[in-house]
Amino acid sequence: MAGTLLLGVFVVAAAVGGPRLLLSARWVEDAPGWGICAWQALTFAITSAVVLFALTVGAHDLSRHYGVPVLALAVGVAVLVRIGWAIGTTLHRSRRRRLQQLQSLALVGIEHPDGYVVVEHPVSLVYCLPGRPHRVVVTRGALDSLSDHELRVVLAHERAHLRVRHDIAVGLSAALARAFGGVRVFRTAHEQVARLVELQADDAATLAADRRALATALMQVSDSVGHARAMRLTREALPRRRRHGVAVGVAALALVAAPLALVLTPGVGAAGRDCCPAAVARLDVR
């Protein structure tokens, strides 16, 4: 049961300490792509540890009591089922909303030669619909309020979302937040992933000379959250901390692998202790 105890400690430590560490780390905002990776690794590690904890407790009791139904085992299976249900529900709802919007665009949208759809609406909006076929939508209000250069940068931002498939990262974090209800770490992870995909798209869309153009455009087509992103863009060009890439990648892999390692390590040690010393002695004599 040592591995099970370690899993419990890991879940508590990761759920409490992980968000605090990531929320206070400056590199997460400077390198939002790696920040998304770190948040996803954290939530995946906690999820797998919770499932393994329940399954190992149940398996231990079954091995001792020979087929007696175990609540912990049922909880582990229930968690897996709930995660699958949450992912399926999230994907279904997203697909249904997207199809509804595509149907509406077919009725009211006008295809532009530059590869986006124009909707006659006075509110200034630019957004994208992922999937196949994907669409970038621009309202008449946005066309009237943005200069040609600002529009190009905003379109580059939306196309970065489509190219990187940010909808998958946001959808997965939303599914885990739904599966685990009010558990704060998953809710925080979803909020942060949704924020970081916007920062990553901002960075992908802008060269040093274009940052102010995107910032100006965000002030016209976004809400208060977009205004905060605009302030980020008006600062001195953010450092591209590529040196963090290898470290974050290795740490993310170690974090994801940790729950399985905690389960297997005590078993490997026990197997070594259970070796037959007589057999080893005979080998030494020969």
Side-chain angles (χ1 to χ4, degrees), residues 27-238:
W27 63 263
V28 173
E29 183 170 310
D30 290 346
W34 287 112
I36 295 169
C37 176
W39 278 107
Q40 289 180 321
L42 176 65
T43 53
F44 184 81
I46 294 173
T47 301
S48 60
V50 169
V51 173
L52 286 172
F53 178 85
L55 293 179
T56 51
V57 169
H60 176 77
D61 287 348
L62 282 173
S63 65
R64 294 179 58 188
H65 301 293
Y66 303 101
V68 176
V70 178
L71 178 60
L73 191 61
V75 169
V77 174
V79 170
L80 287 174
V81 171
R82 182 168 177 81
I83 292 172
W85 169 83
I87 292 175
T89 301
T90 301
L91 291 176
H92 175 72
R93 290 181 178 179
S94 297
R95 177 176 173 80
R96 184 176 60 185
R97 286 195 300 266
R98 176 178 161 276
L99 290 176
Q100 290 173 346
Q101 293 186 58
L102 287 175
Q103 291 171 356
S104 299
L105 284 176
L107 296 175
V108 302
I110 303 172
E111 293 285 348
H112 193 277
D114 290 341
Y116 56 87
V117 179
V118 179
V119 174
E120 296 293 337
H121 196 283
V123 176
S124 184
L125 291 174
V126 182
Y127 63 93
C128 64
L129 294 175
R132 294 183 181 180
H134 58 255
R135 292 286 186 272
V136 176
V137 181
V138 182
T139 64
R140 178 60 61 184
L143 291 176
D144 293 340
S145 61
L146 298 175
S147 68
D148 290 342
H149 181 57
E150 291 168 351
L151 178 60
R152 283 195 299 271
V153 178
V154 172
L155 290 174
H157 169 98
E158 298 301 330
R159 286 164 180 158
H161 282 313
L162 297 173
R163 183 175 62 255
V164 184
R165 293 306 306 264
H166 281 152
D167 57 299
I168 296 176
V170 174
L172 181 59
S173 65
L176 289 176
R178 179 190 297 272
F180 287 92
V183 179
R184 179 176 296 181
V185 61
F186 293 99
R187 185 173 65 249
T188 302
H190 175 54
E191 294 169 353
Q192 290 302 309
V193 168
R195 182 180 74 91
L196 290 171
V197 297
E198 296 298 334
L199 300 188
Q200 187 181 28
D202 288 345
D203 293 346
T206 58
L207 301 173
D210 296 325
R211 301 180 69 83
R212 191 167 296 277
L214 180 57
T216 303
L218 284 173
M219 296 294 291
Q220 300 182 58
V221 300
S222 299
D223 53 14
S224 58
V225 176
H227 294 174
R229 287 163 45 208
M231 295 301 295
R232 171 181 178 267
L233 289 168
T234 56
R235 297 200 301 264
E236 184 179 354
L238 298 174

